[in-house]
Amino acid sequence: MAALRREGRRFAPLISPRPITAVRSSPIAPTHEDEGPIGVRYISTQVVRNRMKSVKNIQKITKAMKMVAASKLRAVQTKAENSRGLWQPFTALLGDLPSVDVKKSVVVTISSDKGLCGGINSTSVKISKGIHKLNSGPEKETKYVILGEKAKAQLIRDSKKDIELIITELQKNPLNYTQVSVLADEILKNVEFDALRIVFNKFHSVVSFVPTVSTVLSPEIVEREAESGGKLGDLDNYEVEGGETKGEILQNLAEFQFSCVMFNAVLENACSEQGARMSAMDSSSRNAGDMLDRLTLTYNRTRQASITTELIEIISGASALEG
Amino acid sequence: MLRQASRLLARPPRLAARARPFSTDLPAADQTADATFTEAWNKVIPNIDPPKTPLSFMQPRPPTPSSIPSKLTVNFVLPYASALATKEVDMVIVPATTGQMGVLPGHVATIAELKPGVLSVHEGNEVTKYFVSSGFVFIHANSFADIIAVEAVPLDQLDANLVQKGLAEFTLKLSSATTDLEKAEAQIGIDVHSALNSALTG
């Protein structure tokens, strides 16, 4: 229809007096144009208005998501900060040996289920892959245990055969220790390991999330490191009360350490997720605001141009009649 | 994405300056574990910063003093809160699996598993009692005691009637249990409830 109208107008000047042409045009896609007098082309105000409406809606949605993330962050943050004391006694006792040389390491990658949270999941996956590479060598193997949909999507692409266990929908119910300890139990039952490396994003502040790796060693490796001296050398000085054998207590200790460290890691990651989502949604609403400003300018220019063109038509028509 | 890139670029020179806000004045010994890891990482994956490890987030513990200190420093942590954080006390009595164990400053370094029972903290003349479900206690040579429990409640929050009901319920479950798992669960329930009972009465 618009094409026909244009065709009609193109032939029109042969019959009627030629109006003053304003701007020389360049070929643009026909559907967006509303052609006035010959050669003047500008975007229809309707199109711009529609775009403005959708951008404004997007801005509202991202602002709302930011508020929701902020409130969720407040809730999880107190829990995470309270749980920070939990892993410290273990590190004080057993030290932290990320560079320990073991045959079987298992990387537990903690990520979120939902997206739109910035780059934290990609960082976790990159670090996990880095640790995998670091621990590769003859007779050494590294397996993955994945918590969360986002890491699953990324790791399943190239490391599918190395994945032992995938756990999703962790945050359906509010996080608590019982749930995490059941999870830890599952992992310990199904996966053989010499060292567990838990990769997560530690929450420092609303804008800063530090990727961290916590190492939990199996009791056999703890014994081995204690005997060989070095960091765990004075572990032997500790009297072990109760239980039949020292090995039994160390086993319980390792399992308890894993569940405590997991609990803290999962909470910290949840905080980081909400914080990252807050900043992502914030920058998104700001971008939407910028876009809206630019569209408003375009809209006003378009509107004024059409008014000017109308005026030109009227005036030229009037002057044609007079003269 | 550009924000991440600029953050990554800006990070390396700021590493040293950033260490201070976390109040980690790490002694040289603690840095070595991190250093081997950081070196190995940088060799294999040069483009990405190495991840941090828990050591960099912890206050280092003081070394073993030559003479026995007068007070015991206790950290009593639960998954939901730190009930006591570096509190200086005279003595704590913990319910280890081998029985009630008193811990004084200068106690030999010990790792002990806890059974359900009463933990009492003695500070001067005041005694605070908690019922702990189970956990671990680490006593270090520098008179630091770390008590990690899964659940702990002050004794005045326990209801005697509910304890009796629970005890009866689990005794019933034990007698009607068929599989080993059920028997073990019922036995755990009985242990906890009888410990609760003796905590309330004793």
Side-chain angles (χ1 to χ4, degrees):
Chain A
M1 191 67 144
L4 287 173
R5 228 187 301 133
R6 243 193 344 273
E7 295 295 314
R9 280 196 187 148
R10 217 178 287 144
F11 295 129
L14 299 172
I15 317 162
S16 60
R18 238 189 133 106
I20 303 167
T21 53
V23 178
R24 204 52 221 140
S25 63
S26 51
I28 317 171
T31 39
H32 294 303
E33 291 166 34
D34 206 9
E35 210 178 310
I38 299 170
V40 180
R41 294 185 196 196
Y42 47 88
I43 301 176
S44 147
T45 61
Q46 187 60 38
V47 171
V48 183
R49 241 207 318 259
N50 285 339
R51 198 170 280 178
M52 275 170 65
K53 200 161 70 168
S54 65
V55 171
K56 200 183 287 190
N57 283 339
I58 290 180
Q59 191 184 32
K60 280 194 204 151
I61 291 173
T62 50
K63 257 199 198 136
M65 281 182 78
K66 178 184 164 193
M67 294 289 125
V68 167
S71 67
K72 284 197 181 157
L73 176 68
R74 260 197 303 272
V76 197
Q77 196 175 351
T78 34
K79 269 192 177 174
E81 289 184 352
N82 286 339
S83 80
R84 275 194 190 150
L86 200 56
W87 54 264
Q88 290 187 5
F90 293 106
T91 317
L93 179 73
L94 296 169
D96 185 35
L97 299 147
S99 49
V100 68
D101 196 15
V102 287
K103 288 226 183 58
K104 292 203 184 124
S105 24
V106 173
V107 177
V108 181
T109 315
I110 305 185
S111 67
S112 63
D113 284 332
K114 304 207 183 117
L116 294 180
C117 49
I120 54 170
N121 293 321
S122 312
T123 344
S124 288
V125 170
K126 268 193 279 198
I127 303 274
S128 309
K129 287 190 182 161
I131 294 181
H132 183 109
K133 209 165 155 192
L134 199 64
N135 282 320
S136 57
E139 290 192 12
K140 286 206 251 182
E141 54 164 353
T142 319
K143 297 266 173 200
Y144 290 107
V145 169
I146 303 179
L147 265 71
E149 287 277 354
K150 294 287 150 188
K152 166 181 158 193
Q154 292 190 34
L155 281 172
I156 223 166
R157 264 204 254 131
D158 46 3
S159 314
K160 192 163 180 187
K161 55 178 175 44
D162 281 332
I163 300 178
E164 285 272 352
L165 210 56
I166 303 180
I167 299 155
T168 53
E169 295 201 358
L170 200 61
Q171 298 211 31
K172 211 166 172 179
N173 307 316
L175 292 165
N176 59 5
Y177 184 70
T178 327
Q179 173 194 35
V180 177
S181 54
V182 168
L183 202 68
D185 196 31
E186 280 291 322
I187 297 178
L188 288 169
K189 264 195 299 204
N190 293 328
V191 181
E192 271 185 40
F193 65 95
D194 285 332
L196 281 160
R197 298 172 203 275
I198 305 166
V199 176
F200 61 103
N201 291 86
K202 195 168 168 71
F203 181 78
H204 278 305
S205 77
V206 180
V207 294
S208 133
F209 327 106
V210 181
T212 317
V213 62
S214 289
T215 320
V216 174
L217 304 169
S218 76
E220 294 91 16
I221 301 291
V222 171
E223 294 254 17
R224 190 191 82 182
E225 291 289 318
E227 273 157 36
S228 68
K231 296 228 65 194
L232 279 182
D234 28 329
L235 191 64
D236 273 336
N237 299 339
Y238 284 79
E239 291 256 334
V240 178
E241 291 263 341
E244 274 88 59
T245 63
K246 182 174 173 186
E248 198 182 301
I249 299 283
L250 280 182
Q251 170 91 5
N252 290 344
L253 187 64
E255 296 183 357
F256 193 40
Q257 180 185 11
F258 180 47
S259 75
C260 289
V261 173
M262 274 290 278
F263 183 60
N264 177 281
V266 169
L267 280 175
E268 299 264 0
N269 207 56
C271 275
S272 307
E273 178 199 336
Q274 300 298 347
R277 188 165 295 134
M278 253 181 83
S279 50
M281 292 295 106
D282 181 47
S283 58
S284 168
S285 20
R286 208 171 305 136
N287 281 342
D290 287 342
M291 259 176 93
L292 204 57
D293 288 339
R294 268 180 289 145
L295 283 171
T296 313
L297 287 175
T298 318
Y299 177 70
N300 284 334
R301 256 204 310 263
T302 319
R303 194 176 46 87
Q304 287 161 357
S306 75
I307 292 173
T308 314
T309 327
E310 264 192 62
L311 283 172
I312 289 175
E313 283 178 22
I314 295 169
I315 294 171
S316 59
S319 69
L321 284 173
E322 280 172 28
Chain B
M1 198 158 79
L2 284 176
R3 249 196 24 239
Q4 300 275 23
S6 59
R7 194 146 46 102
L8 281 171
L9 284 172
R11 211 189 290 167
R14 280 168 42 211
L15 249 178
R18 253 209 328 186
R20 244 166 285 139
F22 305 148
S23 66
T24 50
D25 303 313
L26 294 174
D30 288 316
Q31 295 276 29
T32 48
D34 292 347
T36 28
F37 180 63
T38 341
E39 276 170 35
W41 178 278
N42 283 329
K43 260 198 289 199
V44 184
I45 307 124
N47 303 327
I48 311 177
D49 273 344
K52 296 260 179 301
T53 50
L55 260 182
S56 38
F57 300 124
M58 219 177 89
Q59 300 270 26
R61 293 291 174 86
T64 312
S66 42
S67 64
I68 297 177
S70 58
K71 293 274 204 183
L72 185 69
T73 322
V74 166
N75 286 325
F76 180 26
V77 285
L78 305 167
Y80 302 108
S82 284
L84 299 170
T86 52
K87 182 151 188 242
E88 307 237 323
V89 297
D90 296 325
M91 177 173 79
V92 288
I93 303 184
V94 294
T97 40
T98 48
Q100 299 279 52
M101 189 166 80
V103 183
L104 289 157
H107 196 286
V108 65
T110 311
I111 303 175
E113 207 178 330
L114 301 175
K115 66 170 193 246
V118 177
L119 170 85
S120 46
V121 178
H122 298 254
E123 166 71 28
N125 285 330
E126 26 176 275
V127 178
T128 339
K129 290 198 185 184
Y130 303 88
F131 184 83
V132 300
S133 64
S134 56
F136 268 85
V137 62
F138 307 142
I139 306 166
H140 302 275
N142 52 7
S143 292
F144 262 72
D146 291 315
I147 309 170
I148 312 148
V150 178
E151 277 284 356
V153 287
L155 278 184
D156 43 13
Q157 292 185 8
L158 294 173
D159 183 345
N161 295 333
L162 286 175
V163 172
Q164 297 293 356
K165 263 196 338 188
L167 189 58
E169 190 187 318
F170 277 102
T171 330
L172 197 61
K173 272 203 195 146
L174 181 65
S175 50
S176 67
T178 43
T179 64
D180 276 336
L181 183 64
E182 284 178 30
K183 280 202 192 114
E185 286 177 5
Q187 189 62 48
I188 295 175
I190 291 182
D191 285 341
V192 174
H193 282 82
S194 25
L196 276 167
N197 217 357
S198 48
L200 285 172
T201 52

